[in-house]
């Protein structure tokens, strides 16, 4: 029997902002070394779910969490959770690519600089390693010292992923990472997700059902803040049990 | 036809209001430069005042204004920055943030003479600091605090939210976030705020009139407990001698020096603000 706790486990969770419930009765878990798609229409609570796992809502006015949320077996909304350490374990990639107004190299090691400043001398090699892992090295190796802002949107998104990879997360939360990218860049990111899920637990919020089908083993359908259906991707896409899911997938 | 007429009338009215504002500024500048320039010379700027300012220069007054202004900036800047960082990085409650902002704006609107009066009662009389450099610096620091704080706050708040979010997502501690994202991104905005505050302090008369400055005889203060001589109070003293053409000419000369100082601070603030815009578009 395998006693390793799942990377993420959520039990009877409810999230509200200033008393308004945004997520309710959330009960699910995510598997290691696999990708789970979180699908649902805009405003259904996909982003809130991802942000809650990384405790990114903490600073928001009126945020309240009820229930249990475990990351690698530790309850993260309990007392004494080191939020910065948690976020080091749970990497997050946003819809809009964000690079800091610094060079490509400095962006790649931005998080590393704070988590492992003692390895400063190794930063160039580490940057190369993570840029390679993000399938970006060949495109930027000759312009590492140029501002990251000159890269294309797709390259910026991969740089943001390389930057997150450098911190060493075991879980990757991706909030519509290809929503603002062209098809070629989308393809590059999808390739990257395929590679990431070999080692990490990837949670991918997406509107692109084709992408969810291509990349993910599991699917979670969120509607009006509740999980309406979850299960293996092939089963949910081919034979949805819930009427709401069926209606959403048939759009 | 009617729409075109309304459009022309609106455009004309707006042009007139702009013209009125600019003309007023041009008129004041012309008067200050025109009347102050004849008194201006290297000697006037580098020599000490003699005979209650009727003779000599304004060296001590320039130095006093710079000393007081810089001291006020040194005292108010860390408080303004700390308060702005607390409000933007740590305070969650939107209601409390709003309340603090209203308090800051209200403080900004308090007549400066009241700062002088209250400040003198507290620092000068109650704490026994008397009429001194330190009393004036503290009063000016409190007076420019809202100006500096609002500018610093706005500079920090103008940082795109995704920079902060990305830093947070990388597991940066609040201090690392401040050091690596907030301060570098808002640097020029913070400089703008400080310069605007200094410009306000440099032009202030009422708050320091009876709390920090000596009307005559004060040189470069040798300690914080000594009074200073400033351009503002020097102009006030000379203007009271309006029947003496030499006094009036020297008052205009001191006025031109003060205007130049405030303008230099304002132009530096504008330069820093334009750099902030450039940085934010990178």
């Amino acid at each position: 029997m395998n006693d390793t706790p799942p990377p993420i486990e959520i039990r009877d969770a409810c999230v509200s902002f200033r008393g308004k419930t945004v997520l309710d009765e959330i009960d699910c878990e995510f598997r290691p070394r696999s990708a789970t798609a979180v699908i649902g229409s805009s405003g259904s609570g996909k982003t809130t779910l991802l942000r809650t796992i990384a405790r990114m809502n903490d600073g928001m006015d009126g945020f309240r969490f009820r229930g249990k949320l475990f990351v690698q077996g530790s309850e993260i909304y309990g007392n004494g959770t080191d939020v910065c350490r948690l976020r080091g374990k749970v990497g997050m990639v946003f819809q809009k690519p964000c690079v800091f107004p610094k060079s490509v190299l400095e962006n790649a090691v931005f998080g590393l600089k704070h988590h492992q400043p003692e390895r400063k001398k190794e930063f160039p090699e580490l940057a190369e390693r993570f840029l390679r892992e993000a399938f970006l090295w060949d495109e930027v190796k000759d312009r590492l010292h140029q501002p990251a802002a000159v890269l294309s949107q797709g390259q910026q998104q991969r740089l943001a992923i390389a930057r997150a990879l450098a911190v060493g997360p075991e879980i990757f939360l991706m909030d519509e990472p290809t929503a603002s990218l062209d098809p070629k860049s989308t393809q590059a990111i999808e390739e990257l997700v395929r590679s990431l899920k070999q080692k990490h637990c990837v949670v991918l919020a997406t509107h692109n059902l084709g992408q969810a089908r291509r990349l993910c083993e599991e699917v979670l359908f969120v509607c009006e803040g509740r999980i309406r259906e979850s299960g293996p991707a092939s089963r949910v896409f081919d034979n949805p049990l819930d009427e709401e899911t069926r209606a959403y997938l048939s759009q | 036809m009617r729409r075109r007429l309304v459009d022309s009338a609106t455009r004309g009215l707006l042009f007139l209001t702009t013209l009125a504002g600019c003309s007023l500024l041009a008129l004041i500048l012309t008067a200050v430069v025109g009347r102050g320039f004849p008194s201006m010379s290297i000697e006037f700027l580098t020599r000490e005042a003699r005979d209650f300012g009727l003779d000599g220069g304004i060296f001590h007054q320039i130095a006093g204004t710079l000393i007081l202004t810089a001291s006020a900036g040194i005292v108010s800047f860390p408080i303004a920055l700390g308060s702005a960082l607390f409000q933007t990085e740590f305070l969650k409650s939107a209601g409390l943030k709003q309340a603090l902002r209203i308090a800051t704006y209200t403080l900004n609107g308090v007549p400066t003479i009241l700062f002088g009066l209250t400040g003198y009662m507290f620092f000068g009389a109650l704490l026994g600091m008397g009429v001194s450099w330190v009393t004036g610096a503290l009063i000016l620091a409190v007076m420019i605090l809202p100006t500096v704080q609002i500018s610093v706050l706005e500079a920090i708040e103008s940082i795109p939210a995704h920079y902060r979010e990305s830093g947070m997502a990388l597991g940066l501690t609040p201090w690392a976030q401040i050091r690596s994202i907030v301060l570098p991104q808002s640097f020029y905005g913070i400089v703008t705020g400080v310069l605007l505050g200094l410009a306000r302090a440099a032009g202030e008369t009422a708050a320091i009139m009876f709390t920090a400055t000596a009307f005559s005889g004060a040189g470069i203060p040798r300690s914080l407990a000594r009074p200073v001589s400033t351009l503002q109070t020097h102009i006030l003293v000379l203007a009271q001698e309006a029947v003496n053409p030499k006094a009036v000419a020297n008052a205009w000369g001191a006025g031109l020096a003060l205007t130049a100082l405030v303008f230099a601070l304002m132009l530096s603030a504008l330069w820093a603000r334009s750099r902030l815009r450039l940085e934010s578009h990178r």
Side-chain angles (χ1 to χ4, degrees):
Chain A
M1 196 179 138
N2 187 4
D3 285 340
T4 313
I8 306 164
E9 188 181 353
I10 308 175
R11 294 291 165 234
D12 196 22
C14 169
V15 172
S16 59
F17 291 94
R18 290 183 176 189
K20 190 184 173 227
T21 303
V22 179
L23 290 174
D24 202 13
E25 294 177 16
I26 302 294
D27 215 76
C28 59
E29 57 181 65
F30 299 84
R31 289 168 40 201
R33 290 178 297 285
S34 74
T36 302
V38 180
I39 58 169
S41 37
S42 297
S44 59
K46 302 186 296 293
T47 298
T48 305
L49 177 63
L50 263 61
R51 292 176 62 92
T52 303
I53 297 169
R55 284 196 59 172
M56 293 288 286
N57 294 321
D58 285 18
M60 296 178 85
D61 188 30
F63 168 71
R64 195 153 174 240
F65 176 88
R66 271 194 295 112
K68 305 262 183 210
L69 204 163
F70 301 91
V71 168
Q72 295 177 323
S74 305
E75 197 186 338
I76 65 162
Y77 281 92
N79 288 334
T81 303
D82 183 339
V83 181
C84 298
R85 212 165 147 193
L86 167 80
R87 290 184 190 136
K89 281 197 279 186
V90 183
M92 189 155 184
V93 177
F94 302 92
Q95 180 178 338
K96 196 178 162 219
C98 170
V99 291
F100 296 109
K102 293 174 180 289
S103 71
V104 173
L105 184 76
E106 284 174 298
N107 263 280
V109 296
F110 191 86
L112 208 57
K113 223 166 72 183
H114 296 281
H115 289 283
Q116 297 174 33
E118 69 283 356
R119 298 178 75 185
K120 196 178 173 185
K121 282 186 183 159
E122 299 169 57
F123 282 175
E125 293 94 79
L126 290 168
E128 179 179 341
R129 183 180 141 197
F130 295 113
L131 287 168
R132 276 187 195 281
E133 280 187 34
F135 301 143
L136 189 61
W137 174 251
D138 289 336
E139 293 164 56
V140 298
K141 63 183 176 195
D142 297 323
R143 37 184 180 156
L144 290 173
H145 299 285
Q146 284 183 20
V150 302
L151 300 179
S152 72
Q153 292 274 295
Q155 288 171 329
Q156 288 188 16
Q157 190 64 300
R158 277 180 285 154
L159 179 56
I161 295 173
R163 190 175 61 200
L165 270 170
V167 178
E170 283 146 66
I171 294 160
F172 253 99
L173 308 173
M174 304 181 117
D175 188 9
E176 299 183 46
T178 58
S180 55
L181 305 182
D182 59 61
K184 196 178 160 212
S185 304
T186 300
Q187 207 179 350
I189 299 284
E190 286 189 7
E191 200 54 45
L192 180 52
V193 174
R194 277 194 197 94
S195 157
L196 286 174
K197 71 178 184 178
Q198 308 295 320
K199 292 184 195 164
H200 303 82
C201 161
V202 177
V203 182
L204 175 74
T206 182
H207 279 294
N208 185 335
L209 299 179
Q211 184 176 69
R213 200 191 266 266
R214 283 193 297 276
L215 298 175
C216 301
E217 288 78 24
E218 300 279 323
V219 170
L220 206 124
F221 173 61
V222 186
C223 180
E224 291 173 355
R226 287 166 192 255
I227 297 175
R228 295 298 294 247
E229 186 159 357
S230 64
S234 52
R235 205 271 301 148
V236 175
F237 281 119
D238 297 332
N239 188 23
L241 304 174
D242 179 74
E243 207 168 300
E244 200 75 51
T245 316
R246 212 172 299 138
Y248 178 75
L249 294 176
S250 64
Q251 280 172 13
Chain B
M1 181 68 187
R2 191 166 171 264
R3 226 167 68 182
R4 202 178 287 175
L5 199 72
V6 171
D7 186 40
S8 302
T10 311
R11 204 177 295 180
L13 197 69
L14 292 177
F15 173 73
L16 280 177
T17 52
T18 310
L19 191 72
C22 291
S23 312
L24 203 64
L25 182 69
L27 199 73
I28 293 169
L29 276 180
T30 312
V32 174
V33 175
R35 290 168 184 241
F37 200 72
S39 308
M40 210 40 84
S41 66
I42 297 290
E43 288 75 36
F44 184 67
L45 293 173
T46 53
R47 278 168 58 194
E48 294 172 20
R50 282 200 309 271
D51 197 12
F52 293 96
L54 292 176
D55 200 11
I58 52 170
F59 177 69
H60 284 156
Q61 284 72 22
I62 293 175
T65 302
L66 289 174
I67 286 170
L68 259 189
T69 305
S71 316
I74 289 167
V75 174
S76 72
F77 171 64
I79 301 169
L81 182 63
S83 168
L85 286 173
F86 175 71
Q87 286 179 58
T88 54
E89 308 306 309
F90 298 101
L91 194 61
K92 286 186 198 174
S93 162
L96 204 54
K97 275 186 192 176
Q98 186 66 13
L100 278 171
R101 188 164 289 225
I102 291 170
T104 312
Y105 276 100
T106 310
L107 200 63
N108 209 18
V110 171
T112 55
I113 188 75
L114 289 183
F115 277 108
L117 196 64
T118 321
Y120 184 72
M121 276 165 60
F122 184 72
F123 299 119
L126 196 67
L127 300 182
M129 294 173 181
V131 177
S132 62
W133 169 9
V134 67
T135 305
L138 290 173
I139 291 169
L140 280 182
V142 176
M143 198 196 84
I144 66 170
L145 188 61
T147 308
V148 181
Q149 195 173 316
I150 289 165
S151 301
V152 172
L153 197 65
E154 282 173 357
I156 294 175
E157 281 178 341
S158 70
I159 299 172
H162 55 258
Y163 285 150
R164 268 204 192 84
E165 296 255 286
S166 298
M168 262 166 76
L170 288 170
L172 263 61
T173 58
W175 167 236
Q177 184 105 326
I178 288 170
R179 195 161 38 96
S180 308
I181 298 172
V182 177
L183 293 181
Q185 291 300 311
S186 55
F187 176 76
Y188 288 106
I190 291 171
V191 172
T192 306
V194 173
L195 290 171
L196 287 175
L198 292 184
R200 196 177 166 205
E204 179 53 32
T205 312
I208 54 165
M209 207 160 58
F210 49 89
T211 59
T213 56
F215 288 93
S216 67
I220 309 275
R222 284 163 195 257
S223 80
L224 287 167
R226 306 276 298 166
V228 288
S229 189
T230 66
L231 284 168
Q232 302 93 304
T233 41
H234 191 62
I235 295 166
L236 190 73
V237 170
L238 291 174
Q240 283 167 351
E241 301 286 332
V243 285
N244 186 334
K246 182 71 181 150
V248 175
N250 281 355
W252 281 110
L256 180 57
L258 184 60
T259 309
L261 178 67
V262 173
F263 250 64
L265 287 167
M266 286 296 201
L267 286 176
S268 308
L270 278 174
W271 170 81
R273 183 161 285 186
S274 67
R275 286 298 304 256
L276 177 73
R277 285 213 190 97
L278 283 176
E279 291 286 315
S280 65
H281 284 95
R282 262 173 70 180

